[in-house]
Amino acid sequence: MTAYGAISSLAETMNNILHCSRFSLDGRSQQIIQVVINELQPWRQILERLDKTSPSKSRKKVNALDGRIKEAIWKFEDSLEFLLIQHITSSQLETLPEIVSTDLQSLQNDADSLIQKLKDMEKEYIYEVENMPQDEPISSSFGFPGTNSKMRLSDQFQQLKNDILRDHFNFGLRRLVGTAGVGKTTLAMQIYQDPEIHCKFECRAWVTVGRVPQPASIISKGILAQLCGIEITQGDEEMDYYSLKERLPDKHCLIVLDDVWEEEDAWRITRHTFPYIQNQSVQVLLTGRHRILMNDYYFPSGFEVRFLNEEESMELLCVKVFGDEICPPQLQKVAIKISKHCEGLPLLIVTVAGFLSKSEQNRDLVYWNDVAEMRNSVFQDAYDEISKVLFPSSDYLPQNLKMTFLFLGVFPRDYDTPTSKIIIMLMAQGFLSSYESGCKYLKELNYDYSLILRILKTVDKSLLVEFEVTEFKTCWLHSSWRHVCRVEASKNKFYHVLNKLDDAEDEVLKGQRGLCPENKILFGIKDFRDSVRLNCASIARSLLCYGPYHQYPIHIDVGFMLLREIDALTQRFYTFPTEILTLVQLKYLALTCNGEVPSTISKLFNLRVLIIHPHMKIRHRGAPSYVPMEIWDMKELEHIEILGKSLVAPSHVVSLEKLSTLVGVNASICTIFNLSQRIPNIKKLGIQIEVTPYEDHNDLLSCFDCISTLESLETLKLSITNPVIKKGNVFPMIDGALKLPCNLKKLHLSGMGFPWKYMNDIASMPNLEALKLRSYAFQGSHWNVKNDCFRSLKFLLIEESDLVQWKSRRGSFCELAVLSIKHCYKLEIIRIPSLFNPHDLEEIELEDCNPLVLTWATQLQPRLTCTLRVTFSSSFDEKPTTIKFKRFGTILYDEYKDDHEENEEENENEYTYI
C-alpha cells in the first residue's frame, strides 16, 4: 500500500539534492542520483497497473510484494540522507556555508543493490498483478433479505420514492452512493417494502451483488425468477431464459442491485436481463460505496445517502438497546453523548448499541458514563468490528490516493484540518508534487469515493462540488475511518499514534517513519524516550504532536536526525528549542513559543513552512520583537506565519521568490523598500496592527498604498488587534485613497473605522469574491452603493457595525449568494431596487440584529428554480431563539427552534459527503 508513496518520497528527495543551490555535487555523485531517478521513473505506472484490476481479485500477494518494494526504497533513502547530513557543517557554527560540497560516491553499492532489487521485483510484481486469484467466497445472493431497521431518513426516502413513482411508466436507473455503513441498503429496503411502491410495481427483484459477484447470466436468471414470482432453489441455474420470458407478465418492474462494486457488473447484469422483459416500465435501483465505480454515462441519476442527524442517531441507538421501551430518564443525557460520538454513522451506532445491550450493566449509569467518556473498550471494540466492513473501500483506492487518505488519520477527533495544511504537509514529506494535485486528490476522496468529510470555503458554499469547487476550507475523517487509517498506517510503518505507554512497545515502534504523540506527558517518561531513541528516532521523518494543549515545556530531544516535519503547536516552549537547528532536512516547522527566533534559523535551508505562535499575546515594553533578518536567506520558504513580530529586510534587495503566504506579521512589512520585488509571488497576506488610543490611524492608508503594488496577491487580511473607533470622519475624504491590488479575490478588514465612502474603492474591484468586514471596519450610519458595483462578489459579511441604512442601486451584487449580518443592532433599512437580483441569493445569516432586517429578508422572493435559506438567531432573550425558513419559489416554509441545544445541533451538522 505504501510503495507508491515511498517512490514519490525518494524521487522528491533526490530531485531536491540535484536542484538545491546549497549543494555542490561532483559529476560522479550526480550520475549516481540520476541513474536511481531514471530507474524509479516507470515505477508509478507499474504500481498503477493494480488500479485496473477488479476488486473481486485477491491482493494478499501483491500487497506483500508492495511492502518489500517499500522497504528496499526506504533503506536506500535512509542511507542517502544519513550521508547527506554528514557533509553538512557542524551545527555548532552560527551559519552554514553558502555551498556545501557533497560526495555521494560511497552510495554506489547501495544504489546498485536497489536497482537490482527493483528490476527483480518488477517482473514479480507484474506477474502477480496479472495472475491475481479470485477472492472467495462468492458473495452474490438472491431475494429480499428483510430488515427490522428503525433507521429513518425521511427526507431522502420521500425524495427517492417520489422520483421512482413519478417515472414508473418509463425505464430508469438510479444510484444510492455513500461510505460503507451509512445506510444505503437500509434506505433501499425501505423503498422496496413501501406499500405505495408495492401498488405501482407488481414485480420486484432484489439481488445483493457484492464485491465478488456470480456470473451475470446466473444473476440475471435470479432476477427474472423473482419477477415471475418463482421461488429460487438450488437447481435454478439451469432454468431456461425463454420459459421465464413467457411467464413474465407485462407489468411494472422494480429491480434492486445492492452493493455494486463495479459499474461493469451492473451493466452486464442489466444487459442479460432486459431482453427478456417485455415491458419497458422498469426501474433499477443500485447501491454502491463509490461514485467513481458507477459510470455517470450508464447511471446518471442518484444521490448521496447522508449521515443521521443527532435526533435520528439517538432514536436508532435507543431502539437497538431498549427495543420498544423508552430510554430510562437517568440515561438520557449520557445516551445523547454516546450517540454524538458515533457521528451519524448507522453502522457504528448499531455496533455500539450491540455492545451496550449485551452488557450485564446496560442499565447502569456508571457503565454508560464510562462508555461516553471512552474509559472502557466499547468504542474501541466497535471500531475493530466495523473495520472489517470499511477496510475494503480503502484497500481498493487508486495508488495515488492511498497515502493522502492514510495521512488524514493522524489528526485527532474534532480536528477540522485546513486543506492547505494537509497538502503542504504531504508535500513536505514528498508524497505530493504540487498543491494542485493535492486539491485534486482530496476532491476525489470526497466526491468519487465518499471517504472524507468537508466544509466548503466561504465563497464556494453554494456551489456544486462535483463541478466547480477545486478546494475545501477544512476536511476530516469520520472517527471510524480514522481508526482504520491509524491501524493501517502503523502496520505499514507510515506513522504511529501514541496515547499511553503501552503504545510504545519496541515491536510496534521499531521502524516507524512518523510519531504522533497525542499525550505529551509521554516525553516526560524515561522508558518512553529510551524506546523512541532505540527504535525509530534516527529514521523518523515526522513528529506530529496533536491532542490537548500542554502549556508546560517537555524536552523532546531523543536523537531525531532526519525529521522533515515538526508540528508542535499544542506543545509550549519557553525559548526556541535550538536542538531543532540540527535537523537540516526539516521542511515544515510549527511551534508555540514566546521566545525570540534565533538568527541561526537560516541553518534550516530546506524549510518551506515556518509557523510560530505565542503561548500568550504578551507585549514587552521597549524594543519590538523582530523576525531575524536571516530569514531572507531561506530561499525555499513558501509559508511564513509568525504572529505579532516585525518583519524587516536588509537594505540591499533580496527576495523570497517561492513565498506565497505571509501571515501574522505587523505593519512593519509595509515599510520595506521595494516590497513587490522582495515577495513577488505572494498570494495571501495577513497583517496585524496594534495602535494606542492616541495614535493616528491615517497611517493605515500608507499600508494600503504599499500593499497595492503586490500584483499576485489574492487574499488580504488586515486587522487592528485592539481597535479604538473614533466618531466622525477621522480620515481624509479622498476618492481612491484606499488602494488595493487589482487581482484581489478575498478581502478581510477589521477595526479600521473607515468611512463608508471609502467602500467605493473596493466596489469596483473586478475579481473580488469574498468581503468580510468586522469590528467597525467601516463606520457611519449610511452606506450608499452606486450602480454596477461588486459585480463578482459571492459572499459578504458585516459584523459589528453602526450601520443604519444600506441602499444599493441597480446592477450591484449581481453574483451575491451568501449574505451574513451579525451584531448590527442599529441596521433598520436595506433597500434594493427590483433590478438588483435578490433571486440569486441562496443563504442569509442574521445573528443578533434588528428585527427589521428579518422583515426585509422574509420579503425576498427567489426564482421558481431557486431556494433561499434564512437563519435569524437572537441571544437577547432569556432563552436563545433561532428562526429558520426556506423559500422555494413562491412557497414559504418556516421552522421555529427555541431550544439552544437544537440550535447548536443545526450548526454542528453542516457537513456532508458530496
Side-chain angles (χ1 to χ4, degrees), residues 180 345 347-349 351-352 381-392 478 480-481 483-484:
L345 186 67
L347 179 61
L348 181 58
I349 296 171
T351 306
V352 169
D381 293 342
Y383 288 142
D384 289 338
E385 184 168 318
I386 69 173
S387 292
K388 302 169 188 175
V389 178
L390 302 182
F391 175 71
H478 188 278
S480 57
W481 275 117
H483 176 78
V484 171

Side-chain angles (χ1 to χ4, degrees), residues 547-584:
Y549 184 78
H550 191 79
Q551 64 176 325
Y552 300 106
I554 294 178
H555 192 61
I556 61 174
D557 183 14
V558 292
F560 293 114
M561 299 175 65
L562 302 179
L563 285 181
R564 298 175 184 175
E565 292 181 332
I566 297 177
D567 191 341
L569 286 176
T570 60
Q571 167 66 58
R572 179 189 179 186
F573 295 90
Y574 284 161
T575 59
F576 189 93
T578 55
E579 62 269 18
I580 287 176
L581 300 177
T582 64
L583 304 173
V584 293

